């Protein structure tokens, strides 16, 4: 079989005459792709909000649906312009890739990052993630960037390429529940036993908690020079209530601790002794 | 102590023969090895109390019956060691724990009493309370025999309901709605043939797809009588809960007659915020709880009066003399809703 030189392949690509009809057709494809994208995005989000515990299973497919729609749109645009054969498509892809690689490197990296996020799923829509210095709930995974909402209600757009050069932490890994650590610091002279019991019961009776074999809880004590730290670890039923959960458990626990004569420390605990404070400080 | 001989044929409750047998076996083994404390678990109105009354009837003199009707304090718990009876029967043990800080102390105290006792404890628990408490207190470790009362099948429910009447006391009416509720019905279709002027009537099977998909018929079921269709509908709405099934029957059975159209079917569109669903879970798991106890559980973060008002407005909860319970006909939808929101663990 004789090989076809690239120069011949590109020379033979039958590019159609670009007229008003073709431009309108391409515009129409882009508009339809955009509308379909918005439509499926909206419908799937609405469905996910209504099916309770299966929310994240539905949000998982949203980026995939978007990718497929854009891929189809691109395919139809290409065949509308050049009607290539398979060999020509392959050859053209090589040239196109090289051109993008040089000219639109960052954009292309983000798109590749987006595809990797969709296929490898380091996180998905609805997850609570930390990328670099940013922490929040993933609202959208786009072709170019991932949008997260921080606890301060700021929408942050993070380029998808960031997953290649920054550590990504997902607090829930696609689950609706997420582990939360709640720290209380008590005076070193206070008896930690009743304090641990109170914190444990504040956690297990919270309206936000979920407890099962899959979602266990624990209460731990650690001694520091000027205070004792009691740390409760438990799962919040819906990760959107992470901070309400922490606040409710802390408040109820302190009400009971005061009644039991347990005092807070006289020294303000170091930020490094509490992960929650560290997380808040990033915002 | 003499071992009372109980013949299982004496059992007068329908649908719980196996459970009675298990309990009888455990009671027979008292004194010969470790005690096997029993936990009987079911949904609200799931037949626990019926079973307990039967045990009480069978072992009259040996049983100390202690039914709980609301949240109690430690001082209300009798000194079981001082009792002469060797079987302690405690109904509705969910009232031993409340969902608040310090609310598990009484239950822990009871469990300590139980493991150090020489008497057999037969206890009943609300299913949802049991499931939640098991996660935090490991209840299952204290009860070697756990009897979960399953959903009741239609023939058993029918037997339970009909056992209260004489045959001639009930008339099952075919009000036309019957056909719609059957899995299939035999009809006659008029067909025109090209070579024959007159239309001919041929027998035809009409399938009721909605019912087939929702509830597949059992094997070998060929004909369904009006009576069976009525009980099938009752049990479908009651979702196998005998208490709800009996209430539905009582609602529909008027002047010694019942028809399929007279069986009420209620629709619920539940929309609750997190506080409301939490309080609904508490009411469901306690079965019957006073507003004061609910206030204790809710704490200062929840406006309990407003929350209860909303739940009553949606017909999910009913109030009697300050006590709140789930409306019997809303039981199924409420359980589904709370499961969907992972409120029931």
């Amino acid at each position: 079989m004789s090989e076809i030189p690239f120069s011949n392949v590109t020379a033979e690509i039958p590019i159609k005459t670009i007229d008003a009809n073709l431009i309108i057709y391409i515009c129409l494809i882009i508009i339809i792709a955009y509308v379909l994208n918005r439509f499926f995005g909206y419908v799937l989000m609405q469905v996910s909000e209504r099916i309770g515990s299966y929310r994240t299973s539905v949000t998982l497919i949203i980026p995939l649906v978007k990718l497929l729609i854009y891929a189809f749109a691109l395919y139809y645009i290409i065949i509308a312009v050049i009607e290539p054969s398979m060999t020509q498509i392959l050859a053209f892809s090589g040239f196109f890739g090289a051109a993008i690689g040089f000219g639109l490197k960052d954009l292309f990296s983000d798109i590749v990052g987006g595809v990797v996020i969709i296929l490898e799923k380091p996180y998905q829509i609805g997850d609570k993630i930390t990328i670099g210095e940013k922490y929040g709930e993933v609202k959208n995974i786009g072709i170019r960037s991932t949008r997260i909402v921080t606890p301060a209600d700021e929408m942050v757009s993070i380029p998808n390429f960031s997953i290649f050069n920054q550590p990504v932490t997902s607090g829930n890994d696609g689950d609706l529940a997420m582990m939360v650590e709640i720290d209380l610091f008590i005076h070193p002279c206070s008896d930690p036993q009743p304090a641990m019991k109170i914190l444990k019961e504040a956690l297990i009776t919270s309206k936000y908690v979920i407890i099962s074999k899959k979602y266990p809880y624990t209460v731990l004590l650690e001694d520091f020079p000027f205070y004792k730290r009691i740390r409760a670890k438990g799962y919040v039923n819906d990760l959107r209530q992470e901070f309400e959960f922490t606040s409710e458990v802390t408040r109820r626990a302190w009400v009971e601790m005061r009644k039991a004569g347990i005092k807070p420390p006289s020294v303000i605990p170091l930020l490094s002794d509490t992960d929650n404070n560290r997380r808040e400080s990033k915002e | 102590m003499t071992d009372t001989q109980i013949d299982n044929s004496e059992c007068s409750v329908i649908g719980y023969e196996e459970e009675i047998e298990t309990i009888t076996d455990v009671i027979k083994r008292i004194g010969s090895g470790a005690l096997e404390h029993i936990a009987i678990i079911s949904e609200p109105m799931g037949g626990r109390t019926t079973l307990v009354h039967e045990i009480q009837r069978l072992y009259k003199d040996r049983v100390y019956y202690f039914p709980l009707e609301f949240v109690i304090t430690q001082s209300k718990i009798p000194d079981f060691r001082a009792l002469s009876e060797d079987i302690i029967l405690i109904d509705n043990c969910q009232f031993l724990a409340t969902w608040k800080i310090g609310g598990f102390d009484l239950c822990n105290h009871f469990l300590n009493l139980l493991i150090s006792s020489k008497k057999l404890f037969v206890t009943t628990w609300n299913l949802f309370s049991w499931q939640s408490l098991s996660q935090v207190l490991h209840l299952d470790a204290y009860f070697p025999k756990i009897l979960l009362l399953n959903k009741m099948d239609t023939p058993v429910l029918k037997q339970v309901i009909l056992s209260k009447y004489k045959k001639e006391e009930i008339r099952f009416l075919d009000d036309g709605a019957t056909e719609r509720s059957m899995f299939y019905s035999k009809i006659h279709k008029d067909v025109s043939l090209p070579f024959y002027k007159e239309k001919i009537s041929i027998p035809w099977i009409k399938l009721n797809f909605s019912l087939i998909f929702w509830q597949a018929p059992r094997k070998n079921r060929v004909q369904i009588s009006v009576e069976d269709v009525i009980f099938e509908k009752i049990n479908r709405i009651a979702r196998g809960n005998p208490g709800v099934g009996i209430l539905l029957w009582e609602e529909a059975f008027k002047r010694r007659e019942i028809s399929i159209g007279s069986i009420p079917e209620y629709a619920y569109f539940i929309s609750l915020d997190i506080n409301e669903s939490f309080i609904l879970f508490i009411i469901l798991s306690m079965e019957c709880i006073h507003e004061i106890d609910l206030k204790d559980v809710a704490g200062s973060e929840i406006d309990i009066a407003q929350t209860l008002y909303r739940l009553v407005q949606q017909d999910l909860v009913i109030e009697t003399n300050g006590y709140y319970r789930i409306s019997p006909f809303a039981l199924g939808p409420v359980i589904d809703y709370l499961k969907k929101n992972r409120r029931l663990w």
Side-chain angles (χ1 to χ4, degrees):
Chain A
M1 190 183 286
S2 62
E3 283 185 18
I4 303 168
F6 276 146
S7 57
N8 290 348
V9 172
T10 49
E12 285 168 15
I13 290 173
I15 295 173
K16 284 184 179 175
T17 315
I18 296 175
D19 55 10
N21 281 340
L22 186 64
I23 291 169
I24 291 169
Y25 178 72
I26 290 169
C27 289
L28 206 63
I29 289 174
I30 293 168
I31 291 167
I32 290 171
Y34 178 77
V35 170
L36 282 177
N37 237 326
R38 296 298 294 245
F39 174 75
F40 282 114
Y42 177 78
V43 168
L44 290 170
M45 277 308 281
Q46 291 300 312
V47 169
S48 72
E49 292 296 330
R50 277 172 171 72
I51 58 169
S53 53
Y54 298 102
R55 190 172 79 207
T56 50
S57 309
V58 176
T59 54
L60 177 74
I61 61 170
I62 293 174
L64 195 64
V65 169
K66 286 184 174 178
L67 182 73
L68 281 174
I69 291 171
Y70 280 131
F72 272 111
L74 186 66
Y75 171 75
Y76 279 108
I77 289 170
I78 289 171
I79 61 166
V81 177
I82 54 175
E83 278 183 356
S85 67
M86 186 51 74
T87 321
Q88 288 164 337
I89 285 180
L90 289 174
F92 187 73
S93 308
F95 283 118
F96 188 69
I100 283 179
F102 287 112
L104 300 164
K105 189 172 121 324
D106 289 345
L107 179 66
F108 187 63
S109 305
D110 286 340
I111 293 170
V112 171
V115 173
V116 170
I117 291 166
I118 290 163
L119 298 178
E120 205 178 272
K121 299 187 210 74
Y123 55 82
Q124 58 196 48
I125 295 174
D127 280 8
K128 286 259 182 160
I129 61 163
T130 307
I131 301 183
E133 291 293 302
K134 292 294 173 191
Y135 173 76
E137 184 185 339
V138 179
K139 284 289 171 188
N140 187 32
I141 300 172
I143 289 295
R144 197 197 65 78
S145 66
T146 294
R147 304 181 100 190
I148 65 169
V149 173
T150 67
D153 208 28
E154 294 165 338
M155 182 71 84
V156 179
S157 199
I158 301 169
N160 288 336
F161 181 69
S162 305
I163 62 156
F164 295 123
N165 55 17
Q166 303 230 40
V168 180
T169 314
S170 177
N172 56 311
D173 193 23
D175 201 336
L176 205 60
M178 184 175 79
M179 179 177 267
V180 175
E181 286 179 350
I182 301 165
D183 292 339
L184 292 190
F185 295 87
I186 60 168
H187 197 277
C189 298
S190 294
D191 184 359
Q193 204 63 37
M196 286 177 79
K197 179 180 177 286
I198 288 170
L199 184 57
K200 176 191 145 188
E201 292 186 357
L203 180 92
I204 62 182
T205 58
S206 167
K207 60 189 173 190
Y208 299 107
V209 77
I210 179 167
I211 300 172
S212 67
K213 279 179 185 156
K214 190 181 170 190
Y215 305 115
Y217 69 93
T218 185
V219 179
L220 306 163
L221 174 71
E222 196 168 347
D223 230 347
F224 290 91
F226 302 105
Y227 42 79
K228 289 185 173 99
R229 184 185 72 189
I230 303 166
R231 171 171 285 180
K233 290 182 178 190
Y235 284 84
V236 60
N237 193 349
D238 186 336
L239 51 85
R240 287 180 184 168
Q241 278 123 23
E242 174 193 357
F243 298 108
E244 289 89 340
F245 177 48
T246 310
S247 161
E248 190 227 17
V249 172
T250 307
R251 190 192 60 76
R252 290 170 59 235
W254 268 119
V255 168
E256 292 302 317
M257 283 196 195
R258 282 203 188 92
K259 281 183 198 168
I262 299 162
K263 291 177 188 166
S266 343
V267 176
I268 297 169
L270 294 169
L271 281 180
S272 58
D273 293 338
T274 159
D275 289 346
N276 290 332
N277 285 343
R278 206 161 43 229
R279 181 177 285 169
E280 293 288 358
S281 68
K282 285 178 187 172
E283 300 309 320
Chain B
M1 188 160 295
T2 54
D3 203 0
T4 315
Q5 293 299 311
I6 299 293
D7 181 3
N8 284 336
S9 61
E10 286 179 33
C11 175
S12 68
V13 288
I14 299 164
Y16 301 118
E17 292 83 0
E18 264 182 48
E19 286 80 5
I20 292 287
E21 203 178 315
T22 308
I23 294 165
T24 306
D25 285 347
V26 172
I27 291 173
K28 275 180 188 166
R29 288 200 294 270
I30 293 179
S32 59
L35 283 168
E36 292 179 277
H37 299 302
I38 301 168
I40 302 166
I41 308 157
S42 81
E43 284 183 3
M45 308 176 78
R48 296 193 308 266
T49 305
T50 309
L51 192 53
V52 159
H53 286 158
E54 180 62 10
I55 299 164
Q56 203 188 359
R57 191 188 68 79
L58 290 173
Y59 299 93
K60 281 181 203 108
D61 303 333
R62 293 178 62 186
V63 169
Y64 176 78
Y65 181 48
F66 185 52
L68 304 177
E69 287 164 3
F70 38 78
V71 177
I72 59 162
T73 54
Q74 195 166 324
S75 60
K76 296 275 165 53
I77 291 193
D79 181 6
F80 296 118
R81 283 170 302 183
L83 299 170
S84 59
E85 294 87 352
D86 64 338
I87 303 168
I88 312 293
L89 200 54
I90 308 178
D91 202 5
N92 293 321
C93 285
Q94 66 271 12
F95 290 121
L96 293 170
T98 41
W99 225 238
K100 62 179 185 183
I101 299 173
F104 304 103
D105 296 352
L106 180 60
C107 196
N108 277 321
H109 169 72
F110 168 72
L111 293 172
N112 285 331
L113 274 180
L114 181 132
I115 52 174
S116 59
S117 174
K118 297 270 186 281
K119 297 171 192 293
L120 176 76
F121 280 78
V122 181
T123 56
T124 76
W125 302 78
N126 171 289
L127 170 67
F128 307 110
S129 193
W130 171 271
Q131 285 172 342
S132 310
L133 289 171
S134 288
Q135 299 301 334
V136 295
L137 300 178
H138 307 290
L139 280 183
D140 39 355
Y142 294 87
F143 296 93
K145 275 275 176 287
I146 297 169
L147 302 175
L148 176 64
L149 303 187
N150 290 319
K151 291 183 183 295
M152 207 168 248
D153 284 340
T154 306
V156 183
L157 179 70
K158 181 181 166 185
Q159 215 183 331
V160 168
I161 293 172
L162 294 185
S163 65
K164 295 174 183 172
Y165 302 90
K166 286 177 186 163
K167 207 175 180 184
E168 62 277 9
E169 282 180 345
I170 308 168
R171 280 182 60 218
F172 294 95
L173 300 180
D174 186 349
D175 58 359
T178 309
E179 193 203 327
R180 292 199 302 274
S181 300
M182 292 174 74
F183 301 117
Y184 68 86
S185 43
K186 206 165 86 177
I187 56 166
H188 287 84
K189 269 196 165 187
D190 290 334
V191 180
S192 303
L193 297 172
F195 50 86
Y196 195 61
K197 278 184 186 175
E198 304 271 336
K199 282 188 174 178
I200 61 161
S201 177
I202 57 164
W204 196 259
I205 297 289
K206 187 180 144 197
L207 295 173
N208 188 343
F209 286 103
S210 59
L211 215 72
I212 287 168
F213 287 126
W214 280 108
Q215 198 168 353
R218 287 182 186 80
K219 262 187 177 176
N220 305 327
R221 180 177 291 173
V222 180
Q223 288 292 327
I224 301 176
S225 64
V226 179
E227 189 181 323
D228 282 338
V229 173
I230 285 171
F231 281 107
E232 202 70 57
K233 182 176 177 184
I234 288 175
N235 208 26
R236 177 173 59 78
I237 299 170
R239 303 179 191 208
N241 185 306
V244 178
I246 291 167
L247 276 181
L248 275 169
W249 168 270
E250 285 167 359
E251 283 268 309
F253 186 61
K254 303 277 184 229
R255 291 186 294 277
R256 295 187 172 190
E257 288 175 354
I258 187 166
S259 64
I260 195 151
S262 64
I263 302 165
E265 204 163 357
Y266 301 94
Y268 294 89
F269 302 98
I270 308 175
S271 168
L272 306 173
D273 65 21
I274 198 155
N275 292 339
E276 290 159 359
S277 65
F278 177 66
I279 295 298
L280 193 64
F281 156 71
I282 298 294
I283 298 172
L284 176 71
S285 60
M286 297 301 278
E287 288 192 19
C288 176
I289 183 165
H290 197 273
E291 191 174 346
I292 295 169
D293 295 318
L294 275 173
K295 235 176 215 168
D296 272 357
V297 171
S300 60
E301 280 195 356
I302 301 175
D303 182 344
I304 195 68
Q306 187 204 51
T307 304
L308 288 172
Y309 172 77
R310 284 257 305 147
L311 294 176
V312 172
Q313 280 297 301
Q314 293 187 52
D315 291 331
L316 303 176
V317 164
I318 48 175
E319 186 259 334
T320 323
N321 301 327
Y323 285 89
Y324 289 83
R325 60 175 73 236
I326 303 289
S327 167
F329 301 128
L331 197 57
V334 163
I335 292 168
D336 285 350
Y337 180 83
L338 294 176
K339 275 185 182 164
K340 195 179 98 175
N341 288 287
R342 304 205 298 186
R343 184 60 71 186
L344 301 176
W345 302 334

